[in-house]
Amino acid sequence: MEGQLILDEKQKRLIEINGHLKNAVHFGILGHLDPGGTFDVRQEEVSPNHWEITFLKINMKGRALFFKTINVQQNEIRSHFRPLPETLTLVQARDLLQKQDAVPATPGH
């Protein structure tokens, strides 16, 4: 595997890790991952001392137990974190989520 690791030295936190498989990775008789697979994971401090993954991109292929094909392609971007009141009830949280889902996404956001 080849890639890079970026740390926040002050807070001793992982900010980003990414890489690609130069060679196949074998797990004995359990299977293998093909060379060329990539991953990129980033996290950031979304509030004081609270870190969240904000970007995740994985592209891996391989085989498991001789027969099953592994094909993982996952892309996630998470943003717009904001604190909510500690007194928020489950019903209020549900209503907020439903209201959020009803708002159409703005291009570029």
Side-chain angles (χ1 to χ4, degrees):
M1 177 166 292
E2 194 171 80
Q4 72 177 9
L5 178 75
I6 300 173
L7 303 172
D8 180 319
E9 290 184 36
K10 183 178 174 186
Q11 295 195 43
K12 298 185 179 1
R13 285 293 208 155
L14 175 70
I15 293 175
E16 180 175 352
I17 184 169
N18 62 57
H20 67 275
L21 297 177
K22 290 181 65 172
N23 302 306
V25 177
H26 296 275
F27 302 101
I29 63 169
L30 298 178
H32 71 273
L33 294 173
D34 295 335
T38 62
F39 68 94
D40 189 352
V41 181
R42 297 178 206 149
Q43 68 174 356
E44 61 186 76
E45 190 173 22
V46 297
S47 66
N49 296 315
H50 186 91
W51 290 70
E52 288 288 340
I53 292 175
T54 55
F55 183 84
L56 175 68
K57 185 173 184 178
I58 300 171
N59 184 7
M60 296 278 179
K61 294 180 182 179
R63 283 246 190 255
L65 296 173
F66 303 111
F67 306 109
K68 183 170 171 64
T69 298
I70 299 170
N71 188 1
V72 177
Q73 292 184 349
Q74 184 174 350
N75 296 304
E76 290 183 26
I77 297 174
R78 298 167 53 189
S79 62
H80 298 86
F81 292 90
R82 67 178 195 259
L84 296 173
E86 290 184 22
T87 58
L88 190 71
T89 67
L90 287 175
V91 171
Q92 292 168 325
R94 180 201 64 205
D95 293 344
L96 276 174
L97 288 172
Q98 287 175 340
K99 191 182 304 182
Q100 177 181 317
D101 287 342
V103 176
T106 306
H109 288 67

